[in-house]
């Protein structure tokens, strides 16, 4: 570290999220000390995060910790940390595919991975889950170029494309073993293709699925139903007690309106996402292709080999997903998952955290580094 009150930091937009990226060696090795520092860096707990880098929303209060990997199958290790906005809590119980989009460029710019002459692929081990991803992005002349013509919904302007491919995971696509389960009196499909997600027909909860995130968040009766479903689904999916966790995510499904496969509203887990997470979208896209799932009769699936366009409140996210549906007792298996995202460096320099004397201690984190099935 450069000192107790200053830390080297890069602020990046990754996909539709924004976060602070750090080299692991620039942060305290003790998790409690690290979390205390990150709370002060982000300005938590405070609904506005007025005294730190956070933007007053879970999507802008994220952290990536990156280091060289000792795994022969990976170039770098990536630990995602969600910093709570209004409470003193830092958790590693889920992954983030949007922040993942910035990990490769960050690793090259910090000298962890050499750049290729035209493009670079970085093999990433996600420490939250132990799973892998490969991020490929342009590096003309051996330098990261954040500019480009790729656009993604929910982000103004364009930037360089980051193609992220996820190898087939070791866990089952359907954690409960069923295409449908009845949870808290509601038929759902529990799926995990990088993120534990519970798919729920919006109509089953008395909403259309086209409401704004704010309107859904203000629906108290809906919030109570969602909480009941999430707690029960967490146990059913083998995650355990998820009262203090951010997974599983809950995604409401409705027929598409803008030429996509399905319209979604995703809860993370209480706030309604203004778009959709990368890994959440990967799970939704795979879950729609499970025969007998709750997406049947709602989704309009594209043809074989075409990307699945998942509509969300601010546009859409396209996922190239190939699912072997299985048969005769053979479970469904995902053969390929890839997405195109963008990332952009906002600043690189030194961040000066709030004084430790004025910051409340961090809350007990729910679980250790590898305690969760969240992805």
């Amino acid at each position: 570290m450069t000192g107790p009150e200053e830390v080297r930091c890069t602020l990046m937009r990754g996909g539709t999220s924004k976060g602070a990226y750090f080299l692991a060696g620039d942060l305290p090795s003790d998790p409690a000390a690290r979390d205390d520092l990150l709370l002060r860096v982000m300005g938590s707990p405070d609904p506005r995060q007025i005294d730190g880098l956070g933007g007053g929303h879970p999507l802008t209060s994220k952290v990536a910790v990156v280091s060289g990997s000792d795994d022969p199958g990976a170039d770098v290790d990536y630990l995602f940390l969600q910093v709570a906005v209004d409470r003193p809590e830092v958790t590693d119980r889920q992954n983030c595919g949007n922040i993942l989009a910035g990990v490769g460029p960050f690793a090259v710019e910090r000298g962890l991975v050499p750049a290729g002459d035209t493009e670079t692929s970085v093999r990433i081990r996600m420490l939250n889950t132990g799973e892998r991803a490969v991020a490929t992005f342009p590096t003309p002349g051996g330098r990261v170029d954040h500019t480009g013509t790729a656009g993604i919904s929910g982000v103004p302007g364009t930037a360089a494309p980051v193609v992220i491919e996820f190898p087939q995971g070791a866990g089952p696509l359907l954690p409960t073993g069923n295409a449908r389960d009845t949870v808290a009196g509601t038929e759902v499909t529990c799926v995990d293709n990088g993120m534990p997600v519970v798919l729920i027909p919006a109509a089953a909860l008395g909403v259309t699925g086209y409401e704004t995130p704010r309107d859904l968040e203000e629906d108290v009766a809906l919030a109570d139903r969602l909480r009941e479903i999430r707690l029960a689904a967490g146990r059913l999916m083998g995650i355990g007690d998820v009262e203090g966790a951010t997974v599983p995510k809950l995604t409401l499904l409705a027929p598409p309106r803008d030429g996509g496969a399905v319209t979604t509203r995703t809860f993370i887990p209480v706030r309604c996402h203004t778009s959709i997470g990368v890994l959440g979208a990967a799970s939704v896209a795979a879950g729609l292709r499970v025969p007998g799932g709750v997406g049947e009769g709602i989704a309009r699936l594209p043809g074989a080999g075409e990307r699945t366009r998942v509509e969300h409140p601010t546009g859409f996210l396209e996922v190239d997903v190939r699912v072997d549906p299985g048969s005769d007792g053979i479970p469904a298996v995902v053969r390929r998952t890839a997405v195109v995202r963008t990332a952009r460096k906002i600043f690189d320099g030194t961040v000066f955290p709030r004084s430790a004397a004025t910051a409340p201690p961090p809350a007990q984190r729910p679980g250790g580094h590898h305690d969760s099935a969240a992805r």
Side-chain angles (χ1 to χ4, degrees), residues 207-224:
V207 296
T208 66
Y210 306 118
E211 295 85 353
T212 67
R214 181 174 180 177
D215 286 344
L216 291 172
E217 288 178 355
E218 292 177 348
D219 188 332
V220 177
L222 176 64
D224 289 343

Side-chain angles (χ1 to χ4, degrees), residues 45-245:
D46 172 30
R48 297 177 300 159
Q49 292 181 314
I50 197 66
D51 205 23
L53 295 180
H57 192 283
L59 298 181
T60 57
S61 187
K62 299 184 173 187
V63 169
V65 182
V66 183
S67 61
S69 181
D70 59 7
D71 188 309
D75 300 309
V76 298
D77 289 341
Y78 154 53
L79 175 68
F80 170 70
L81 297 172
Q82 179 71 59
V83 180
V85 173
D86 56 358
R87 62 187 186 278
E89 179 181 288
V90 180
T91 179
D92 61 6
R93 287 195 68 181
Q94 72 169 75
N95 210 336
C96 179
N98 276 302
I99 293 298
L100 172 66
V103 170
F106 174 80
V108 169
E109 292 196 325
R110 289 300 188 88
L112 297 179
V113 178
D117 290 335
T118 57
E119 69 175 21
T120 302
S121 294
V122 177
R123 301 171 302 163
I124 303 166
R125 178 172 65 169
M126 297 175 276
L127 293 181
N128 302 73
T129 61
E131 293 193 349
R132 314 301 176 92
V134 179
T136 302
F137 46 93
T139 51
R143 295 175 62 88
V144 175
D145 184 358
H146 292 278
T147 64
T149 59
I152 60 174
S153 296
V155 177
T158 62
V162 180
V163 179
I164 306 174
E165 184 163 2
F166 301 95
Q168 181 180 333
L173 175 62
L174 301 174
T176 70
N178 303 316
R180 292 191 187 216
D181 291 285
T182 300
V183 178
T186 303
E187 280 200 334
V188 306
T189 294
C190 299
V191 60
D192 188 345
N193 183 32
M195 177 72 72
V197 174
V198 182
L199 305 182
I200 310 168
L205 298 181
V207 296
T208 66
Y210 306 118
E211 295 85 353
T212 67
R214 181 174 180 177
D215 286 344
L216 291 172
E217 288 178 355
E218 292 177 348
D219 188 332
V220 177
L222 176 64
D224 289 343
R225 289 284 305 278
L226 292 174
R227 180 179 181 275
E228 185 181 11
I229 291 171
R230 198 174 76 84
L231 294 179
R235 291 188 291 271
L236 196 63
M237 297 172 76
I239 304 173
D241 182 1
V242 297
E243 178 69 51

Side-chain angles (χ1 to χ4, degrees), residues 246-267:
T246 57
V247 291
K249 310 298 187 189
L250 306 179
T251 295
L252 307 186
L253 306 180
R257 277 189 161 180
D258 297 310
V262 71
T263 294
T264 63
R265 296 293 186 266
T266 298
F267 291 81

